[in-house]
Amino acid sequence: KIKMSKLKQCNKNKQRRLDYISNEARRALVRLVFTERLSIRRASKLLLINYTTAKSLITKYTKEGTVDRVNKV
């Protein structure tokens, strides 16, 4: 039987690696999907972007009209 405190320690030790998508790649994704009429899946494969990330970026673009990353000060 595993104690809950032990599970929490295991989860804390795992660090998540973040890959940031450049603004150029974000704009290229939007161009491929909306101008070139490629599917999100195909465009994400061409740009080597995770499909789920690409889908989120396209959703953001349709809602907000931009995909540029906001630089935090």
Side-chain angles (χ1 to χ4, degrees), residues 17-72:
R17 190 177 134 224
L18 296 176
D19 290 329
Y20 295 107
I21 310 299
S22 69
N23 284 337
E24 292 83 21
R26 291 166 183 252
R27 290 186 205 118
L29 176 70
V30 169
R31 184 181 54 78
L32 287 172
V33 171
F34 290 104
T35 306
E36 304 293 328
R37 296 293 205 186
L38 263 63
S39 67
I40 298 172
R41 187 171 303 279
R42 178 165 249 170
S44 67
K45 281 185 180 182
L46 283 173
L47 297 172
L48 303 176
I49 298 174
N50 179 291
Y51 171 73
T52 306
T53 303
K55 190 168 170 114
S56 296
L57 290 171
I58 294 300
T59 302
K60 179 181 177 181
Y61 179 76
T62 56
K63 286 182 179 179
E64 300 176 13
T66 185
V67 289
D68 287 343
R69 189 159 187 271
V70 177
N71 293 328
K72 295 181 181 177

